[in-house]
Amino acid sequence: MSYGPNLPDLYRRAAEFADKILRGTRPSDIPVEQPTKFDLVVNLITARALGLTIPPTLLAIADEVIE
């Protein structure tokens, strides 16, 4: 299992920062932001190999399930 920031969203936000800088905004004037979107990914292949059972409720809320 992995729970972390949504990488495509981080790249999109980085592009927005680059756009602001290229349009003349000073980097020191841009506020620091934390990720706002997170993903829960469950790898069932590895879980089965380790003999683990993942509860269906956890699978239901996962953003991605790798089978």
Side-chain angles (χ1 to χ4, degrees):
M1 279 190 331
S2 172
Y3 184 72
N6 179 293
L7 293 179
D9 185 56
L10 288 181
Y11 298 143
R12 209 172 297 113
R13 294 171 71 103
E16 291 173 9
F17 284 130
D19 180 56
K20 288 179 184 179
I21 292 169
L22 292 173
R23 291 180 187 264
T25 303
R26 292 182 13 207
S28 62
D29 293 338
I30 300 173
V32 175
E33 297 180 12
Q34 293 187 5
T36 56
K37 293 183 180 180
F38 294 86
D39 287 336
L40 174 64
V41 179
V42 178
N43 187 332
L44 286 178
I45 298 169
T46 303
R48 287 185 192 120
L50 294 172
L52 301 174
T53 303
I54 306 297
T57 53
L58 185 61
L59 294 175
I61 64 170
D63 295 299
E64 183 179 350
V65 177
I66 301 170
E67 295 189 60

